[in-house]
Structure formats: C-alpha cells, structure tokens
Amino acid sequence: MAKPARAPSKDTYNEAVKEAKLLDIRLTESKWAFDLSMLREMDELQKFTNQSILEAPHFSPETGRLVGKVLCRLLITANLAVDEPDASQAALDCESSYVVAFEVPKAFTSHNANQFFESTAKFAVWPYFRSHVANLAAQSRLELPPLPLTTLLQRIRDDIP
C-alpha cells in the first residue's frame, strides 16, 4: 500500500506559491440595488464588506489548473452594532461573483490547492470588485467613498508543519 503524500514544509509550500500564475478573473454575476433616499445620509451609514469562496475550487493535478468562484459584497446600511447587517434595509447592496483561474504547481495536493485558493483568490479579486463598485456608482451618479485597499500577508496557515 502506498504511503499518503507528506505535507510540504512551509518553505516548500511558499516556494511553490511563488511559481503560481493568475490566469483569469471574470465577473460572472452582479447585483446592484440602492435606495437613494437613504444615501442622502451617507455620513451616518456604515459600510460592510465581505468576501467568500463559493464551494471548493476545482484542481486538476494533470494540468495544474485551479479554478473557483469568489463572492464579494458591499452593504451600506444604518450604523448598527451588529455582526450581520440586514440587507432588506440597506441603502446600497452590491453582490458580485467572479471566476478565478490559476496555474499552480502540478505537485500541489488538493489540500495545498484549496489552501492557496483560499489565501490568494479573494485578494486577487478585490481590485476588480473595487473598480466594479466605482463604475456602478458613477453610472448611478452616486458619490460613494472608495472602498479601502486590502493588504496581503502572504503566508500559509499553521496547519502545515
């Protein structure tokens, strides 16, 4: 019986990540809704942003292709101290999904590929989502402050020895 592949060290994983290439980012769906009467009070509203991975990405060890979906959301609503704002009372709600494709080392395991996608795809999509929101706001003649830049601390989680 063959031994299961041993998890790479952090250094080995990080070296493999350096070889990865972003192949494509595509906007696949977008929802944009706003209540102009609520946006007049922009200074009193709170922005909530969220990104998530939609289902596990697909990884092909034969080709090294890693493809998955990222969902980005901006919700502007009354400044309430809540963890989950209520979208039904939002001044603005923008939700967009993107397909993201990478070429990663063929030696990656499915676990490595999922881990790489989780740590990198959301960061790769963010500038596209910021631009998309800015374009939609301009087309809607809304004066929204820009979404903040995000920073990347490119390291792997501690679950790799």
Side-chain angles (χ1 to χ4, degrees):
M1 183 182 326
K3 286 184 175 179
R6 189 171 162 244
S9 69
K10 287 182 183 181
D11 291 338
T12 303
Y13 178 83
N14 286 331
E15 283 301 314
V17 167
K18 287 180 186 177
E19 295 176 31
K21 294 179 184 130
L22 177 63
L23 298 175
D24 199 8
I25 295 178
R26 293 185 187 212
L27 175 67
T28 58
E29 295 178 56
S30 184
K31 178 182 86 169
W32 175 260
F34 64 92
D35 179 345
L36 191 55
S37 66
M38 289 181 70
L39 288 173
R40 293 185 184 146
E41 311 288 324
M42 181 59 74
D43 294 341
E44 298 170 22
L45 300 176
Q46 178 69 39
K47 279 193 266 186
F48 296 92
T49 58
N50 185 33
Q51 289 181 285
S52 57
I53 305 297
L54 295 177
E55 61 202 48
H58 172 73
F59 174 58
S60 170
E62 295 83 29
T63 64
R65 297 292 163 97
L66 175 62
V67 180
K69 278 184 116 176
V70 177
L71 179 70
C72 299
R73 186 161 196 200
L74 166 66
L75 195 62
I76 299 178
T77 188
N79 191 1
L80 303 172
V82 294
D83 292 334
E84 274 301 312
D86 183 5
S88 68
Q89 297 182 7
L92 186 141
D93 188 2
C94 180
E95 187 174 89
S96 302
S97 62
Y98 296 83
V99 170
V100 184
F102 292 99
E103 183 178 305
V104 297
K106 294 175 185 174
F108 263 15
T109 64
S110 290
H111 176 75
N112 293 146
N114 287 342
Q115 191 175 36
F116 172 82
F117 196 86
E118 176 69 34
S119 68
T120 308
K122 291 187 279 187
F123 179 76
V125 165
W126 188 250
Y128 294 88
F129 181 65
R130 284 183 81 225
S131 176
H132 183 61
V133 168
N135 284 332
L136 290 172
Q139 290 172 9
S140 300
R141 296 167 103 193
L142 298 177
E143 292 185 29
L144 296 179
L147 294 178
L149 293 172
T150 58
T151 58
L152 173 66
L153 180 57
Q154 184 62 27
R155 64 176 186 189
I156 61 172
R157 296 194 305 239
D158 291 331
D159 58 350
I160 289 184

